[in-house]
Amino acid sequence: MKTLFEKAYRLLNLSKKVDFIAPLLMRLYLVPIFWMAGTSKIDGFDNIVQWFGNDDWGLGLPFPYIMAILAIGAEVVGAVALLLGFGLRIMAVPLMFTMFIAMTSVHGQYGWQAIADANAPFANERVQATVEKKEAIISILQEHGNYEWLTSSGNITILNNGIEFAATYFIMLLALFFIGAGRYVSLDYWFKRKLLPEV
């Protein structure tokens, strides 16, 4: 029995040699998400400012022009930091803040689910109503459209717009905040090794 535990312990110790893979994959997963979010806000900057500031149909945030610039800066600079693994723990903070704002101001009212699925554990009344709309859309397309062609790339999906994606990104960023950018394939690792070899 002791030998089995020793083998398991040695195996776990071997995994430390490749422990840089997890933070690297999390970083690379998040790069296009924040890059697209930031650059799309640049393209539609005036509309974003209006949406940030409008109380009736927008978020009703104070100082919408400044908030839009801060959001864009966090997302674009954050995407570059994620890609390079540079200043990652610092940049994770404003990125987590943008995800928190997204969860509370944009997606929170729609519940958990990002995609409407009546069979999911957190399906609420909105999801149930959305699924009914989806069934009506499918019925209309089957009767009046080329349904096979329309669904040849995948099933028809309707978004619920809940907090699921933003919460997932927040948790990934929180993990990166604590574990850092990882060894070998991050600038943080090499700068720390060069400048603070004893730490």
Side-chain angles (χ1 to χ4, degrees):
M1 190 64 134
K2 185 180 176 185
T3 309
L4 182 64
F5 283 123
E6 286 173 352
K7 286 180 180 176
Y9 184 74
R10 283 194 205 103
L11 189 62
L12 287 172
N13 271 345
L14 283 175
S15 71
K16 289 182 180 177
K17 294 182 190 256
V18 291
D19 65 0
F20 67 93
I21 293 174
L24 173 64
L25 292 179
M26 280 194 287
R27 285 168 37 211
L28 294 178
Y29 182 92
L30 291 169
V31 167
I33 291 163
F34 287 109
W35 181 260
M36 292 300 296
T39 55
S40 67
K41 285 181 180 71
I42 293 170
D43 292 340
F45 184 76
D46 292 336
N47 293 333
I48 290 295
V49 171
Q50 289 176 17
W51 181 56
F52 273 22
N54 193 289
D55 284 328
D56 296 327
W57 50 266
L59 302 180
L61 297 174
F63 313 109
Y65 188 87
I66 294 169
M67 295 295 271
I69 290 172
L70 291 174
I72 290 166
E75 290 167 344
V76 172
V77 175
V80 174
L82 285 160
L83 180 64
L84 301 176
F86 181 63
L88 186 59
R89 285 184 163 146
I90 294 168
M91 280 312 302
V93 173
L95 288 173
M96 284 189 288
F97 183 74
T98 61
M99 290 300 95
F100 179 78
I101 295 296
M103 285 188 286
T104 56
S105 299
V106 181
H107 304 288
Q109 60 187 318
Y110 304 123
W112 173 259
Q113 287 179 261
I115 296 171
D117 180 357
N119 298 318
F122 301 115
N124 56 21
E125 291 176 14
R126 174 187 161 86
V127 170
Q128 300 292 341
T130 304
V131 169
E132 289 173 17
K133 292 175 187 174
K134 176 183 173 180
E135 289 168 359
I137 290 168
I138 289 171
S139 176
I140 291 166
L141 290 174
Q142 285 173 333
E143 187 176 343
H144 302 290
N146 188 347
Y147 186 74
E148 282 74 32
W149 176 78
L150 289 169
T151 58
S152 63
S153 298
N155 293 334
I156 292 172
T157 302
I158 297 182
L159 292 179
N160 180 56
N161 210 22
I163 68 168
E164 182 179 0
F165 292 157
T168 301
Y169 305 149
F170 180 91
I171 291 166
M172 291 173 75
L173 289 163
L174 185 63
L176 287 169
F177 175 79
F178 285 110
I179 63 177
R183 294 184 295 154
Y184 309 130
V185 285
S186 71
L187 290 179
D188 284 349
Y189 171 78
W190 292 107
F191 276 111
K192 181 181 174 187
R193 191 172 166 143
K194 184 76 173 170
L195 300 175
L196 304 166
E198 302 301 319
V199 177

